Amino acid sequence: MFKNKDGLIVMRHYDPVKNLGGLADLIKFIEADGKVMVEVGSYMGESASVFAKHVKSITAIDPWVEGYDDNDGASSTNMSKVEEYFDKTMSNFSNMKKIKMKSLEACKQFDDESLDFVYIDAEHTYEALFNDLKAWTPKVKKDGWICGHDWQRMDLRKAIVDVLGDPDRKFSDNSWCFKKSRLNKDFNE
């Protein structure tokens, strides 16, 4: 992991062209321009700022509390500083709304089929991602996209496959996406 000059762990530092380029490829692939989205797990706003340049509106959801995820070293950093960094990064975007709470609690604020896409990069455990996918998929329109990060992690990959199957596409930054209309499941059960 890499720390920036403020001592905060930077998630996409190691190859910004590859990693932020992967997000750019995802944005192009799902035709995100002008869409309404939610990002679950926003941390410092690295990916949220990329999305905000393209989408009509982005709601960034994160608890910004320390120790929320034992599987993610970033959660042991000073989250009040991380949140300040996020706020500063996103202050130039009028299309951004911030919700400071955990994923499953925030999910209740959205109507079913109200989002064009969701991007999940939150708590990094099988159980948490499994539950996030089950909770957020109904919020996406039938012709929308369910997307996320960390395909390279086998425990998270298993949760993705167990809930949704194999992604329609994977990207260089380990992002992935599914067209909801392709899924043969009813998530409103």
Coordinates of all heavy atoms in Angstrom, one line a residue, residues 30 35-38 40 107 110-120 132-147 164 176 178-183 185 187-188:
I30 N -20.4 1.0 -20.4 CA -21.7 1.0 -20.0 C -22.5 2.3 -20.4 O -23.6 2.4 -20.1 CB -21.9 0.8 -18.5 CG1 -21.3 2.0 -17.7 CG2 -21.2 -0.5 -18.0 CD1 -21.6 1.9 -16.2
K35 N -25.9 9.5 -16.8 CA -26.7 8.5 -16.0 C -26.7 8.9 -14.5 O -25.9 9.7 -14.0 CB -26.1 7.1 -16.1 CG -25.9 6.6 -17.5 CD -27.2 6.1 -18.1 CE -26.9 5.5 -19.4 NZ -27.8 5.2 -20.3
V36 N -27.6 8.2 -13.8 CA -27.7 8.4 -12.3 C -27.1 7.2 -11.7 O -27.5 6.0 -12.0 CB -29.2 8.5 -11.9 CG1 -29.4 8.6 -10.4 CG2 -29.8 9.8 -12.6
M37 N -26.2 7.4 -10.7 CA -25.5 6.3 -10.2 C -25.3 6.4 -8.7 O -25.4 7.5 -8.1 CB -24.1 6.1 -10.8 CG -23.1 7.1 -10.3 SD -21.3 6.7 -10.7 CE -21.1 5.3 -9.7
V38 N -25.0 5.3 -8.0 CA -24.5 5.3 -6.6 C -23.2 4.6 -6.6 O -23.0 3.5 -7.3 CB -25.5 4.5 -5.7 CG1 -24.9 4.1 -4.4 CG2 -26.8 5.4 -5.5
V40 N -20.9 2.7 -3.8 CA -20.9 2.2 -2.5 C -19.5 1.9 -2.1 O -18.9 1.0 -2.6 CB -21.8 0.9 -2.4 CG1 -21.9 0.5 -0.9 CG2 -23.2 1.2 -2.9
C107 N -29.0 1.9 1.5 CA -29.8 1.3 0.4 C -31.3 1.5 0.5 O -32.0 1.7 -0.4 CB -29.5 -0.2 0.4 SG -30.2 -1.1 -1.0
F110 N -33.3 4.4 -1.4 CA -33.5 4.4 -2.8 C -34.6 3.5 -3.2 O -34.8 2.4 -2.7 CB -32.2 3.9 -3.5 CG -31.0 4.9 -3.3 CD1 -30.3 4.8 -2.1 CD2 -30.8 5.9 -4.2 CE1 -29.2 5.7 -1.9 CE2 -29.8 6.8 -4.0 CZ -29.0 6.7 -2.9
D111 N -35.4 3.9 -4.1 CA -36.5 3.1 -4.7 C -35.9 2.0 -5.6 O -34.9 2.2 -6.2 CB -37.5 4.0 -5.5 CG -38.3 4.9 -4.6 OD1 -38.5 4.6 -3.4 OD2 -38.7 6.0 -5.1
D112 N -36.7 0.9 -5.7 CA -36.3 -0.1 -6.7 C -36.3 0.5 -8.1 O -37.2 1.3 -8.4 CB -37.2 -1.3 -6.6 CG -37.0 -2.1 -5.3 OD1 -36.0 -1.9 -4.6 OD2 -37.7 -3.1 -5.1
E113 N -35.4 0.1 -8.9 CA -35.3 0.5 -10.3 C -35.2 2.0 -10.5 O -35.7 2.5 -11.5 CB -36.4 -0.1 -11.1 CG -36.4 -1.7 -11.1 CD -37.4 -2.3 -12.1 OE1 -37.9 -1.6 -12.9 OE2 -37.5 -3.5 -12.0
S114 N -34.5 2.6 -9.6 CA -34.3 4.1 -9.7 C -32.9 4.5 -10.2 O -32.7 5.7 -10.5 CB -34.6 4.7 -8.3 OG -33.6 4.3 -7.3
L115 N -32.0 3.6 -10.3 CA -30.6 3.9 -10.6 C -30.3 3.3 -12.0 O -30.7 2.2 -12.3 CB -29.6 3.3 -9.6 CG -29.9 3.8 -8.1 CD1 -29.0 3.0 -7.2 CD2 -29.6 5.3 -8.0
D116 N -29.4 4.1 -12.7 CA -28.9 3.5 -14.0 C -27.8 2.5 -13.7 O -27.6 1.6 -14.5 CB -28.4 4.7 -14.9 CG -29.5 5.6 -15.3 OD1 -30.5 5.1 -15.9 OD2 -29.4 6.8 -15.1
F117 N -27.0 2.8 -12.7 CA -26.0 1.8 -12.3 C -25.5 2.1 -10.9 O -25.6 3.1 -10.3 CB -24.8 1.7 -13.3 CG -23.8 2.8 -13.3 CD1 -22.6 2.7 -12.7 CD2 -24.1 4.0 -14.0 CE1 -21.6 3.7 -12.8 CE2 -23.2 5.0 -14.1 CZ -21.9 4.9 -13.5
V118 N -25.0 1.0 -10.3 CA -24.3 1.0 -9.0 C -22.9 0.5 -9.1 O -22.7 -0.4 -10.0 CB -25.2 0.3 -8.0 CG1 -25.2 -1.2 -8.3 CG2 -24.6 0.5 -6.6
Y119 N -22.0 1.1 -8.4 CA -20.6 0.6 -8.4 C -20.3 0.3 -6.9 O -20.3 1.2 -6.1 CB -19.7 1.7 -8.9 CG -18.2 1.2 -9.1 CD1 -17.8 0.6 -10.3 CD2 -17.3 1.5 -8.1 CE1 -16.5 0.2 -10.4 CE2 -16.0 1.0 -8.3 CZ -15.6 0.4 -9.4 OH -14.3 0.0 -9.6
I120 N -20.0 -1.0 -6.6 CA -19.8 -1.4 -5.3 C -18.3 -1.7 -5.0 O -17.7 -2.6 -5.7 CB -20.6 -2.7 -5.0 CG1 -22.1 -2.4 -5.2 CG2 -20.4 -3.2 -3.6 CD1 -23.0 -3.6 -5.1
D132 N -24.5 -6.8 -0.1 CA -24.6 -5.6 -0.9 C -25.2 -5.9 -2.3 O -26.0 -5.2 -2.8 CB -23.2 -5.0 -1.1 CG -22.7 -4.2 0.1 OD1 -23.6 -3.9 1.0 OD2 -21.5 -3.9 0.2
L133 N -24.7 -7.0 -2.9 CA -25.2 -7.3 -4.3 C -26.7 -7.6 -4.2 O -27.5 -7.2 -5.1 CB -24.4 -8.5 -4.9 CG -23.0 -8.2 -5.2 CD1 -22.2 -9.4 -5.5 CD2 -22.9 -7.2 -6.4
K134 N -27.1 -8.4 -3.2 CA -28.6 -8.7 -3.1 C -29.4 -7.4 -2.8 O -30.5 -7.3 -3.3 CB -28.8 -9.7 -2.0 CG -28.1 -11.1 -2.2 CD -28.9 -11.9 -3.2 CE -29.7 -12.9 -2.5 NZ -30.4 -13.7 -3.5
A135 N -28.8 -6.5 -2.0 CA -29.6 -5.3 -1.6 C -29.6 -4.3 -2.7 O -30.7 -3.6 -3.0 CB -29.0 -4.7 -0.4
W136 N -28.5 -4.1 -3.4 CA -28.4 -3.0 -4.4 C -28.9 -3.4 -5.8 O -29.4 -2.5 -6.5 CB -27.0 -2.4 -4.5 CG -26.7 -1.6 -3.3 CD1 -25.9 -1.9 -2.2 CD2 -27.1 -0.2 -3.1 NE1 -25.9 -0.9 -1.4 CE2 -26.6 0.2 -1.9 CE3 -27.8 0.7 -3.9 CZ2 -26.8 1.5 -1.4 CZ3 -28.0 2.0 -3.4 CH2 -27.5 2.3 -2.2
T137 N -28.9 -4.6 -6.2 CA -29.3 -5.0 -7.5 C -30.8 -4.6 -7.8 O -31.1 -4.1 -8.9 CB -29.1 -6.5 -7.8 OG1 -27.7 -6.7 -7.7 CG2 -29.6 -7.0 -9.1
P138 N -31.7 -4.8 -6.9 CA -33.1 -4.3 -7.2 C -33.2 -2.8 -7.4 O -34.2 -2.3 -8.0 CB -33.9 -4.7 -5.9 CG -33.1 -5.8 -5.3 CD -31.6 -5.5 -5.6
K139 N -32.3 -2.0 -6.9 CA -32.3 -0.6 -7.0 C -31.9 -0.1 -8.5 O -32.2 1.0 -8.8 CB -31.4 0.1 -6.0 CG -31.6 -0.3 -4.6 CD -33.0 -0.1 -4.1 CE -33.2 -0.6 -2.7 NZ -34.6 -0.5 -2.3
V140 N -31.4 -1.0 -9.2 CA -30.9 -0.7 -10.6 C -32.1 -1.0 -11.6 O -32.8 -2.0 -11.5 CB -29.7 -1.5 -11.0 CG1 -29.3 -1.3 -12.4 CG2 -28.5 -1.2 -10.0
K141 N -32.2 -0.1 -12.5 CA -33.2 -0.2 -13.6 C -33.0 -1.5 -14.4 O -31.9 -2.0 -14.4 CB -33.2 0.9 -14.6 CG -33.6 2.2 -13.9 CD -33.4 3.4 -14.9 CE -33.7 4.7 -14.3 NZ -33.4 5.9 -15.2
K142 N -34.1 -2.1 -15.0 CA -33.9 -3.3 -15.7 C -32.9 -3.3 -16.8 O -32.2 -4.3 -17.1 CB -35.3 -3.7 -16.3 CG -36.3 -4.2 -15.3 CD -37.6 -4.6 -15.9 CE -38.5 -5.0 -14.7 NZ -39.9 -5.1 -15.0
D143 N -32.7 -2.2 -17.4 CA -31.6 -2.0 -18.5 C -30.4 -1.4 -17.9 O -29.5 -1.0 -18.7 CB -32.2 -1.2 -19.7 CG -32.5 0.2 -19.3 OD1 -32.6 0.5 -18.1 OD2 -32.6 1.0 -20.2
G144 N -30.2 -1.4 -16.6 CA -29.0 -0.8 -16.0 C -27.9 -1.8 -15.7 O -27.9 -2.9 -16.2
W145 N -26.9 -1.3 -15.0 CA -25.7 -2.1 -14.7 C -25.4 -2.2 -13.3 O -25.6 -1.2 -12.5 CB -24.5 -1.3 -15.4 CG -24.6 -1.3 -16.9 CD1 -25.2 -0.4 -17.7 CD2 -24.1 -2.3 -17.8 NE1 -25.1 -0.7 -19.0 CE2 -24.4 -1.9 -19.1 CE3 -23.4 -3.5 -17.6 CZ2 -24.0 -2.7 -20.2 CZ3 -23.0 -4.3 -18.7 CH2 -23.3 -3.8 -20.0
I146 N -24.9 -3.4 -12.9 CA -24.4 -3.6 -11.5 C -22.9 -3.8 -11.7 O -22.4 -4.6 -12.5 CB -25.0 -4.9 -10.9 CG1 -26.5 -4.8 -10.8 CG2 -24.3 -5.1 -9.5 CD1 -27.2 -5.4 -11.9
C147 N -22.1 -2.9 -11.1 CA -20.7 -2.9 -11.3 C -20.0 -2.9 -9.9 O -20.6 -2.6 -8.9 CB -20.3 -1.6 -12.1 SG -21.2 -1.3 -13.6
L164 N -24.5 -13.2 -8.9 CA -24.8 -12.7 -10.2 C -24.4 -13.6 -11.4 O -24.9 -13.5 -12.5 CB -24.2 -11.3 -10.4 CG -24.7 -10.2 -9.4 CD1 -23.9 -8.9 -9.7 CD2 -26.1 -10.0 -9.5
W176 N -15.6 -4.8 -12.7 CA -16.5 -5.7 -13.4 C -17.9 -5.1 -13.6 O -18.2 -4.2 -12.9 CB -16.5 -7.1 -12.6 CG -16.8 -6.9 -11.2 CD1 -15.8 -6.8 -10.2 CD2 -18.0 -6.7 -10.5 NE1 -16.4 -6.6 -9.0 CE2 -17.8 -6.5 -9.1 CE3 -19.3 -6.7 -11.0 CZ2 -18.8 -6.3 -8.2 CZ3 -20.3 -6.5 -10.0 CH2 -20.1 -6.3 -8.7
F178 N -22.2 -6.1 -14.9 CA -23.3 -7.0 -15.4 C -24.4 -6.1 -15.9 O -24.8 -5.2 -15.2 CB -23.9 -7.8 -14.2 CG -23.0 -8.8 -13.6 CD1 -22.0 -8.5 -12.7 CD2 -23.1 -10.2 -14.0 CE1 -21.2 -9.5 -12.1 CE2 -22.3 -11.1 -13.5 CZ -21.3 -10.8 -12.5
K179 N -25.0 -6.5 -17.0 CA -26.2 -5.8 -17.5 C -27.3 -6.5 -16.7 O -27.5 -7.8 -16.8 CB -26.3 -6.0 -19.0 CG -27.5 -5.4 -19.6 CD -27.3 -3.9 -19.8 CE -28.3 -3.3 -20.7 NZ -28.2 -1.8 -20.8
K180 N -28.1 -5.8 -16.0 CA -29.2 -6.4 -15.2 C -30.2 -7.2 -16.0 O -30.6 -8.2 -15.6 CB -29.9 -5.3 -14.4 CG -30.9 -5.9 -13.4 CD -31.6 -4.9 -12.5 CE -32.6 -5.5 -11.6 NZ -33.3 -4.5 -10.9
S181 N -30.5 -6.7 -17.2 CA -31.5 -7.4 -18.0 C -31.0 -8.8 -18.4 O -31.8 -9.7 -18.8 CB -31.8 -6.6 -19.3 OG -30.6 -6.4 -20.1
R182 N -29.7 -9.0 -18.4 CA -29.1 -10.4 -18.7 C -29.3 -11.4 -17.6 O -29.3 -12.6 -17.8 CB -27.7 -10.2 -19.1 CG -27.0 -11.5 -19.6 CD -25.5 -11.3 -19.8 NE -24.7 -11.1 -18.6 CZ -24.4 -12.1 -17.8 NH1 -24.8 -13.3 -17.9 NH2 -23.6 -11.8 -16.7
L183 N -29.5 -10.9 -16.4 CA -29.6 -11.8 -15.2 C -30.9 -12.5 -15.2 O -32.0 -11.8 -15.4 CB -29.4 -11.0 -13.9 CG -28.0 -10.2 -13.8 CD1 -28.0 -9.3 -12.6 CD2 -26.9 -11.2 -13.9
K185 N -32.6 -13.7 -12.7 CA -33.0 -13.8 -11.3 C -33.9 -12.7 -10.9 O -33.9 -11.6 -11.5 CB -31.7 -13.7 -10.4 CG -30.7 -14.8 -10.6 CD -29.5 -14.7 -9.7 CE -28.5 -15.8 -10.0 NZ -27.4 -15.8 -9.1
F187 N -34.6 -10.3 -8.0 CA -33.9 -9.8 -6.8 C -34.9 -9.1 -5.8 O -34.5 -8.6 -4.8 CB -32.8 -8.9 -7.1 CG -31.6 -9.6 -7.7 CD1 -31.5 -9.7 -9.1 CD2 -30.6 -10.2 -7.0 CE1 -30.5 -10.4 -9.7 CE2 -29.6 -10.9 -7.5 CZ -29.5 -11.0 -8.9
N188 N -36.2 -9.1 -6.2 CA -37.2 -8.4 -5.4 C -37.9 -9.5 -4.5 O -39.0 -9.2 -4.0 CB -38.1 -7.6 -6.2 CG -37.4 -6.5 -6.9 OD1 -36.6 -5.8 -6.3 ND2 -37.8 -6.3 -8.2

